[in-house]
Amino acid sequence: MGNVMAKLSATHKWALGIVLFTTVAILTGVNWRIFKFEQLLNHGQVVRFALAPVDPRSLMQGDYMALEYAIARDVSSALTPQQMQGQLLLAVDEQKVARFVDFYTDQALGKDQLRVQFRARGNQIKLASNSFFFEEGQADHFSSAKYGEFRVNDNGELLLVKLLDEKLQPL
């Protein structure tokens, strides 16, 4: 290896250094994001969103299900045209099912309240994921989903964990 390095010009050594640095930076970034997701899965607070009906023609498209949340209607009606993203203030009941209270504006959170990030894109409110991927051939099994279960961290980041039936049992 030392003999090969000695034969490289300064320009090639510089280029090799940039490639190595970039590779390490990308791998570090990817692993950091994976670590953050693992932390959210292990330590995030559970919150559940009721699913809203979706056009049946687009409900099952390949190996995923399009998701829409009932809470999105309340958010859409309270949204101003210039609000494209922010955080929602939610109340959570004893079953961890969330309902929209208001937009979060740095107010103190109540006992059973939390905040979550949202984005408005077109006519759709995006919370975390607007689709749920599953194994091929499992469409009928997941078509009875009534709730999405998420983990949320202190910054309001959401991660979809699983779909639940009307009794809040995992599918």
Side-chain angles (χ1 to χ4, degrees):
M1 180 80 174
N3 193 20
V4 172
M5 288 299 287
K7 291 181 182 179
L8 291 177
S9 69
T11 304
H12 287 107
K13 287 179 184 177
W14 179 249
L16 182 61
I18 290 173
V19 167
L20 289 173
F21 175 79
T22 303
T23 301
V24 169
I26 289 170
L27 289 174
T28 300
V30 167
N31 283 309
W32 178 253
R33 192 70 181 144
I34 291 169
F35 172 76
K36 295 295 278 180
F37 280 135
E38 288 292 330
Q39 292 300 306
L40 185 52
L41 280 173
N42 293 328
H43 305 291
Q45 181 179 349
V46 172
V47 61
R48 297 173 176 142
F49 292 101
L51 298 176
V54 176
D55 180 356
R57 291 170 301 202
S58 68
L59 184 63
M60 302 299 166
Q61 300 172 359
D63 298 334
Y64 77 96
M65 175 188 296
L67 299 177
E68 189 169 326
Y69 305 99
I71 201 169
R73 285 182 246 146
D74 298 331
V75 174
S76 290
S77 64
L79 204 60
T80 62
Q82 61 271 22
Q83 279 180 294
M84 300 301 288
Q85 63 186 24
Q87 293 192 331
L88 306 175
L89 178 63
L90 305 177
V92 181
D93 67 18
E94 63 280 347
Q95 294 179 312
K96 305 293 185 194
V97 176
R99 72 174 170 74
F100 175 67
V101 174
D102 202 350
F103 294 100
Y104 180 74
T105 55
D106 293 328
Q107 66 267 46
L109 295 177
K111 180 180 180 278
D112 293 319
Q113 292 183 331
L114 55 87
R115 62 187 173 122
V116 299
Q117 296 176 0
F118 81 96
R119 294 175 307 167
R121 297 294 182 262
N123 294 332
Q124 193 172 31
I125 301 298
K126 295 190 180 267
L127 298 173
S129 177
N130 287 64
S131 57
F132 182 79
F133 292 85
F134 47 79
E135 290 182 32
E136 187 174 340
Q138 296 292 312
D140 289 338
H141 176 72
F142 288 105
S143 65
S144 63
K146 300 296 181 198
Y147 294 90
E149 183 172 293
F150 293 81
R151 295 291 178 140
V152 60
N153 65 15
D154 292 337
N155 296 327
E157 294 174 304
L158 287 167
L159 182 61
L160 178 60
V161 177
K162 56 189 156 192
L163 295 180
L164 308 172
D165 66 14
E166 69 278 350
K167 296 178 183 173
L168 300 173
Q169 297 302 309
L171 294 175

